[in-house]
Amino acid sequence: MAAATLRPALPQGAEQRASSLLCTPKHNRVAAGGRRSLSFAARASPNSGAKAVSIPKQWYNLVADLPVKPPPPLHPQTHQPLDPSDLSPLFPDELIRQEVTDERFVDIPEEVIDVYKLWRPTPLIRARRLEKLLGTPAKIYYKYEGTSPAGSHKPNTAVPQAWYNAVAGVKNVVTETGAGQWGSALSFASSLFGLNCEVWQVRASFDQKPYRRLMMETWGAKVHASPSPATEAGKKILAADPSSPGSLGIAISEAVEVAAKDANTKYCLGSVLNHVLLHQTVIGEECLEQLAALGEAAPDVVVGCTGGGSNFGGLAFPFMREKLAGRMSPEFVAVEPAACPTLTKGVYAYDFGDTAGLTPLMKMHTLGHGFVPDPIHAGGLRYHGMAPLLSHVYELGFMDAVAIQQTECFEAALKFARTEGIIPAPEPTHAIAAAIREAMECKRTGEEKVILMAMCGHGHFDLAAYEKYLRGDMVDLSHPADKLEASIAAVPKI
């Protein structure tokens, strides 16, 4: 199939599918021999009465509707606006085109939709039991992305990235991963399209989550602990600090270094860049249709965790489009860890996306590309920067941000797990904590707000973190002021 075409048209419906595979007994009957037999019918979906929704056929690009366009990325040496061709050593042409496009919608290739059908549409569930526990008049909905093969939202972009690389004749892809969810997703997608996949997993996560590494290896990937002796960037870090816990910035440097040296190898990124946030908008597009089917006009608050920004942007951007068009007016709240407060404590400036300074300079909220966050359990949120597009939206005043400590997040996670049944990954516990804060404020004021929350993945491989919390061994980690000040001082002066 040819590369996806761009056209400004609204998403069309894809084929209908059941929203739940769960079953419940329809009736009992006594079979021959006196043994009781059960016949089953499909159980009502978590949102009873809602019609089945479609998989979007197009991704949505928020840039097309912004009143002020985001600043361009700059060449790391010349500091001039980046030419799209400068990205060719790292990405295939179609992904570069999606990175810089101003078009409102981008068609999703049929081959990608065919893979999406393995888990999409994902369920939108009302957290009625959590509401009851809190005693709040608010309605809490969560869009659950943990039903994907990798257990998170990450395959929404891993699948198209792998497909576009395969179509372009690429043989090998490399990447980094923090919590391991992105590395798992790209390993899964690469296995489908015959690509060799190599992953640099942040050392703190590599040690905390061995089953994420095994998941990647099961799908055929080669996994390194980062910083590693396999790259010049990794060797330099290890020489300075042999016990470095690593960071996403360091792991990005290692993966980019390998991709830049081999014409048969391309780099894939799981967050931050425009084309990644573009792919994730399937979340918000589905959610708009699901809320309408439930008779909910619009949410009052949209909440999501933010590390690089893809999960939050994927849910929020379609709703921002509707707000800009005057069709609804939700508030948007991005939640980050107090130990890595990129939006709430960082500066808005041009900075490198990686530690070694190999990437283009991007205008974003940053703690400085040399900042190494403490090894909190939400490894996917340990990134020094924030998506340039999300940072720009924040600067425009379209959204708010809050930083929360990890003990409050895990306390919220237990409330959620013991009412809704799902054990969240450490990353979305931040969104749960913020949603609970909002719901309790509604309890105080009596407001019946609709709170929409991004539940971006399950925590089945994160039980060691839960054990630490349950034993009372988890502590809150902060960002030392002197460490943060020194890191921000090293941000390039552009």
Side-chain angles (χ1 to χ4, degrees):
M1 178 179 172
T5 57
L6 303 172
R7 69 172 187 268
L10 291 173
Q12 301 297 312
E15 69 178 16
Q16 302 292 305
R17 69 189 290 240
S19 60
S20 174
L21 297 179
L22 298 175
C23 293
T24 191
K26 183 178 180 182
H27 63 272
N28 297 340
R29 67 177 185 270
V30 178
R35 298 181 63 184
R36 187 167 296 279
S37 171
L38 300 179
S39 66
F40 291 85
R43 193 189 79 172
S45 74
N47 297 304
S48 184
K51 66 178 183 179
V53 301
S54 57
I55 300 173
K57 291 209 170 179
Q58 293 176 311
W59 295 301
Y60 168 63
N61 178 23
L62 180 66
V63 174
D65 292 319
L66 291 177
V68 180
K69 302 306 178 187
L74 304 181
H75 193 283
Q77 277 81 48
T78 67
H79 293 180
Q80 296 301 307
L82 199 70
D83 187 278
S85 63
D86 294 330
L87 297 173
S88 293
L90 297 180
F91 305 111
D93 289 345
E94 180 57 26
L95 289 179
I96 295 172
R97 192 162 72 91
Q98 291 178 11
E99 182 65 23
V100 301
T101 185
D102 286 334
E103 295 291 339
R104 182 169 287 110
F105 293 101
V106 176
D107 289 346
I108 305 176
E110 287 298 327
E111 291 86 347
V112 172
I113 291 177
D114 188 56
V115 179
Y116 277 174
K117 289 175 183 176
L118 291 174
W119 74 94
R120 305 211 69 86
T122 57
L124 175 69
I125 303 171
R126 183 173 170 188
R128 294 180 185 274
R129 294 175 180 84
L130 179 61
E131 294 169 11
K132 183 177 179 181
L133 175 71
L134 300 176
T136 180
K139 296 179 183 177
I140 303 173
Y141 289 94
Y142 59 97
K143 179 68 166 162
Y144 183 46
E145 292 293 302
T147 58
S148 77
S152 76
H153 68 296
K154 294 294 187 178
N156 296 334
T157 184
V159 170
Q161 287 192 52
W163 186 79
Y164 285 122
N165 273 288
V167 168
V170 174
K171 303 299 182 185
N172 314 299
V173 292
V174 295
T175 196
E176 77 293 324
T177 191
Q181 290 183 337
W182 167 241
S184 300
L186 188 64
S187 302
F188 155 69
S190 297
S191 73
L192 298 180
F193 298 114
L195 298 172
N196 298 314
C197 181
E198 197 165 1
V199 182
W200 274 262
Q201 185 176 7
V202 173
R203 164 62 73 177
S205 172
F206 186 93
D207 293 339
Q208 289 172 352
K209 302 175 184 181
Y211 292 108
R212 277 287 172 194
R213 171 180 56 80
L214 288 168
M215 193 178 207
M216 294 181 243
E217 291 173 345
T218 299
W219 276 315
K222 182 177 181 181
V223 187
H224 307 269
S226 174
S228 77
T231 67
E232 294 305 314
K235 290 176 185 176
K236 184 176 179 180
I237 298 293
L238 289 172
D241 181 7
S243 61
S244 171
S247 70
L248 278 168
I250 295 170
I252 291 172
S253 292
E254 297 202 78
V256 168
E257 178 186 317
V258 171
K261 291 179 178 178
D262 185 355
N264 290 318
T265 301
K266 296 293 185 182
Y267 171 66
C268 295
L269 188 61
S271 192
V272 179
L273 295 181
N274 289 358
H275 68 270
V276 181
L277 274 66
L278 174 85
H279 299 158
Q280 292 293 354
T281 58
V282 292
I283 302 172
E285 295 289 11
E286 283 181 6
C287 206
L288 280 166
E289 188 177 345
Q290 288 168 319
L291 284 171
L294 291 167
E296 294 286 3
D300 295 292
V301 185
V302 178
V303 182
C305 65
T306 48
S310 68
N311 152 68
F312 180 81
L315 177 64
F317 283 178
F319 287 91
M320 287 187 184
R321 175 190 67 217
E322 299 303 299
K323 184 171 184 176
L324 287 167
R327 290 187 283 266
M328 59 178 65
S329 56
E331 298 175 359
F332 300 94
V333 181
V335 194
E336 58 188 11
C340 192
T342 310
L343 287 169
T344 54
K345 297 291 184 180
V347 295
Y348 186 53
Y350 274 103
D351 197 10
F352 296 104
D354 71 311
T355 301
L358 302 177
T359 66
L361 290 158
M362 299 177 287
K363 190 72 174 288
M364 61 182 177
H365 277 265
T366 177
L367 299 172
H369 60 280
F371 184 78
V372 179
D374 287 327
I376 56 172
H377 292 282
L381 306 185
R382 292 180 68 247
Y383 183 54
H384 70 270
M386 185 57 63
L389 184 52
L390 204 59
S391 297
H392 179 63
V393 168
Y394 185 62
E395 286 297 303
L396 292 177
F398 290 177
M399 54 177 275
D400 294 318
V402 61
I404 301 180
Q405 291 282 7
Q406 64 178 352
T407 54
E408 180 182 347
C409 295
F410 274 84
E411 179 185 359
L414 290 190
K415 288 185 174 72
F416 189 86
R418 292 172 181 180
T419 53
E420 298 302 312
I422 296 169
I423 300 174
E427 290 77 18
T429 65
H430 293 71
I432 296 169
I436 287 177
R437 284 185 181 184
E438 189 72 38
M440 295 309 290
E441 179 63 14
C442 288
K443 181 178 182 178
R444 187 186 69 81
T445 63
E447 294 177 275
E448 298 181 0
K449 288 185 177 180
V450 175
I451 302 167
L452 174 61
M453 181 179 70
M455 245 296 289
C456 58
H458 66 66
H460 297 171
F461 298 107
D462 304 287
L463 294 178
Y466 280 89
E467 181 182 34
K468 200 163 189 177
Y469 178 79
L470 290 168
R471 287 182 175 179
D473 295 333
M474 183 177 289
V475 296
D476 288 328
L477 300 170
S478 61
H479 48 284
D482 56 342
K483 176 182 174 182
L484 185 57
E485 184 178 343
S487 180
I488 290 177
V491 170
K493 304 297 186 290
I494 306 297

